[in-house]
Amino acid sequence: MRYTDLDKIERTELIRHIVSRIPFVISLLALLVLVVDIGFSPSENYRLTLNYIYVAAIIVASFSIVLRYVFRKKQLRRKVVIIDLVLFLGFGIVVVHVFQILTFDFVNTAAWIKIAMMLAFLREFSALHIKVNQELTPARLFVYSFITIIIIGTILLMLPKATHNEISFIDALFTSTSAVCVTGLIVVDTGTFFTPTGQIIIMMLIQAGGLGIMTFTSYFSYFFKGGASFYSQLALKEMTNTEKVADVFKTLKKILLITFIIEGIGFALIYFNGQSEGGADAFFAVFHAISAFCNAGFSTLSNSLFETGFQFNYALHMIIAFLFILGGIGFPILFNIYAYFKYLFVRRLLAYTKSKPYRYKPGVISINTRLVFLTTLLLIVLGTVLFYIFEFNNTLADHEGFGKIVTAFFGAVTPRTAGFNTVNTGALTGSTLLLVIGLMWIGASPGSTGGGIKTSTFAISLLNILSIARGKKRLEVYRREVSPDSVNRASAIVMLSLVVIGISIFFLTYIEEDKALLSLIFEAVSAFSTVGLSMGVTGELQNASKIVLVLTMFVGRISMLTILIAFLKNVNFVKYRYPTEDILIN
């Protein structure tokens, strides 16, 4: 083949590549226009122009769907074809209705245009083929994705229609970081300062931050394209804690599915047990279902669940508690528990029907699940008992019988990164505050929506101390030896957490000289562990202190170890080994 032929082929591919990006660029511009439309109050004439921009993006997206099938290089999956057909028909209905070629009574023109435009953007975005630089490691990609969504959230929260009063950049940044990092610390009241538009933005930031924005974008991109590069799968494998590369997208699908199922059930239960005023029940329910499962701690109530009318709603307390316990126990644990019950069901079914003998499977419940589940159970039981004893004649005095137990239970589980409160946190006794600080530091479980050093890290560190005290050279759990890498990683996480919290406390005490030391320590640990509980000083902090907490929340959500791994040179292959030498430790 001659060079001229190769040049023609390259030019053709370049032109095809550029043309294929045009629908996405147009839909992206339409999305930016939508942000302006939602965030500001345009005049009727201006709004009419905006609608034409939306319709233009929808028409281009419709042609893009058709052309994608005309010039397709491989057979698309049946599910994708069905979804594209539904989208094409939906876009067609909107367009013919707008231009009054045909009219449909069920079409709300303004709402349907915006929904169709957003669907067009999602479809075009999922069809993009983005080449990721090999130097962009999974850890860096994870860090950058959170920074990006925090910046976008800050801009959205500063839109005029997002708040009742003007919000400063620092407060918008703080709120966005708190939502994305699923913390729950607030400097302005979520229910009264933000409009419904602002509250929806916060809710979306919580959902994106709780699951990770990469989870959504990666799965939908894979769904429509039918595949992904090996490097992309490796990156997602690290982010989702998946054992096999081949199972990455199955894991993503399970994460999204189980999230929406649990949040949906939570929404229904909260809806029928909530006591919000007329007309607000549905939004109240969906907001708190998402906030609870993602362990965010945000509430549209000024005093969280300590608000009058909700303080003694024990059914609602239990629903919220179990939502954030499920969100905080970790997706790997939920998957493993599901696999175990599925195995038990099939085993019993086969034994009952005697259709064929069942095969015994050893180790269906993994060591990780056993360790995390036992640690979580012990923390819940011990925390509930101690909270009940310490607060019996204090914050629990207003409750009676079963109410005391429920409130003590809630007070013991919420510090482990949930952030909701059913009692006045500032009125807790000194012993309870120290207990809460300890529980906040431990946090949730790995692979979950929660923060802290994680239950497995705490368990491994504690068991390692006991192992060393007994003179053992290795750590053994449930007749298995824990790998040295896991022990070293746990020790590093514990040490780094103390360093980050210590630095945060140092700067907070330097800036806020008039604040009590215990309240600042409580604030720093709450921010690092992405809990959201506060002794009432967050809104009184200076801007410099807010920046300190923003950085603390970010580091706590990402983990300092992940940040170090992301930006320090990774030495994978060491072809030498030095002689061993003992160092005097004690």
Side-chain angles (χ1 to χ4, degrees), residues 332-386:
I333 310 302
L334 292 176
F335 296 155
N336 194 220
I337 292 173
Y338 168 76
Y340 177 71
F341 280 109
K342 181 181 177 182
Y343 163 71
L344 284 182
F345 175 76
V346 173
R347 175 181 169 182
R348 295 286 175 86
L349 184 64
L350 291 176
Y352 178 76
T353 58
K354 298 180 180 180
S355 56
K356 63 177 181 178
Y358 72 89
R359 293 183 180 180
Y360 173 73
K361 291 183 180 180
V364 177
I365 291 288
S366 66
I367 302 301
N368 180 59
T369 299
R370 292 184 185 182
L371 190 65
V372 167
F373 193 80
L374 181 61
T375 306
T376 300
L377 186 62
L378 288 174
L379 288 173
I380 290 174
V381 173
L382 184 62
T384 301
V385 171
L386 291 177

Side-chain angles (χ1 to χ4, degrees), residues 7 37 84 144 154-155 239 244 410 425 461 493 530:
D7 291 338
D37 189 3
D84 278 341
Y144 293 152
T154 303
I155 295 171
M239 294 181 192
K244 300 177 182 178
F410 196 97
T425 307
S461 300
I493 289 173
T530 69

Side-chain angles (χ1 to χ4, degrees), residues 390-398 424 427-429 432:
F390 295 156
E391 295 297 317
F392 187 84
N393 293 316
N394 189 34
T395 57
L396 296 181
D398 296 333
N424 182 3
L428 296 174
T429 64
T432 309

